[in-house]
Amino acid sequence: MAASRLFVAISARALASAARTLTLPQLRALVVLDTCGPVRLTALAATLGVNPSTALRMAERLTAAGLVDRRTNPANRREVLLSLTDAGGDLVSTVLARRRAEIRTLVERLPAEERAALVPALRALTAAAGEMAVEADPAPRTVADVL
């Protein structure tokens, strides 16, 4: 639990330092859009584990903030597609860079032996959770990879 609180606190500090009044769930939605590209509203809701009406309200707030673009899906006019605006992409990049920097600083404080043991342990934990791997230079992914 302490490690969980640490990572949430790091994310919250990184988000706050970007001078935005966004919540961590909204940041998570932006990260999904950044990772997956244009996404149907229903797929975003499923990925976030919320109902579609919650995802719609979140998308409306993010659209009003200029971070998300909502468009009708040209392949199915009944669907809404969501994508990041340039400002949304910049915000995600800034927040994630600040989060990585803080984590890097913490990891560098560990003795080399503990640091070496940390990587396989965290990989095993994320694999057990079914989280997608994040590489140094990630390739674009689809929502199916996130679900």
Side-chain angles (χ1 to χ4, degrees):
M1 289 306 296
S4 174
R5 286 191 302 270
L6 170 66
F7 285 121
V8 169
I10 289 169
S11 294
R13 284 192 297 268
L15 183 57
S17 71
R20 295 285 186 161
T21 57
L22 294 178
T23 64
L24 286 174
Q26 289 170 331
L27 173 63
R28 188 167 172 238
L30 294 176
V31 170
V32 168
L33 294 175
D34 184 58
T35 303
C36 301
V39 174
R40 291 183 335 271
L41 178 67
T42 55
L44 178 65
T47 302
L48 298 176
V50 300
N51 62 49
S53 64
T54 299
L56 176 61
R57 285 190 303 275
M58 186 182 298
E60 287 172 345
R61 287 184 189 107
L62 294 170
T63 300
L67 303 172
V68 169
D69 181 46
R70 279 182 60 194
R71 296 193 182 191
T72 302
N73 184 351
N76 181 347
R77 312 256 327 131
R78 293 177 291 169
E79 293 178 340
V80 173
L81 288 179
L82 304 170
S83 59
L84 284 182
T85 62
D86 290 342
D90 291 346
L91 177 63
V92 168
S93 294
T94 298
V95 171
L96 295 185
R98 289 177 182 176
R99 186 171 69 181
R100 276 191 299 276
E102 186 170 347
I103 292 170
R104 183 180 307 109
T105 299
L106 291 174
V107 170
E108 287 172 350
R109 291 182 194 164
L110 295 173
E113 183 179 294
E114 290 179 9
R115 201 176 0 197
L118 184 62
V119 172
L122 289 175
R123 283 190 178 142
L125 185 63
T126 56
E131 291 293 321
M132 71 179 154
V134 177
E135 305 301 327
D137 184 21
R141 294 184 171 83
T142 64
V143 171
D145 294 327
V146 180
L147 296 175

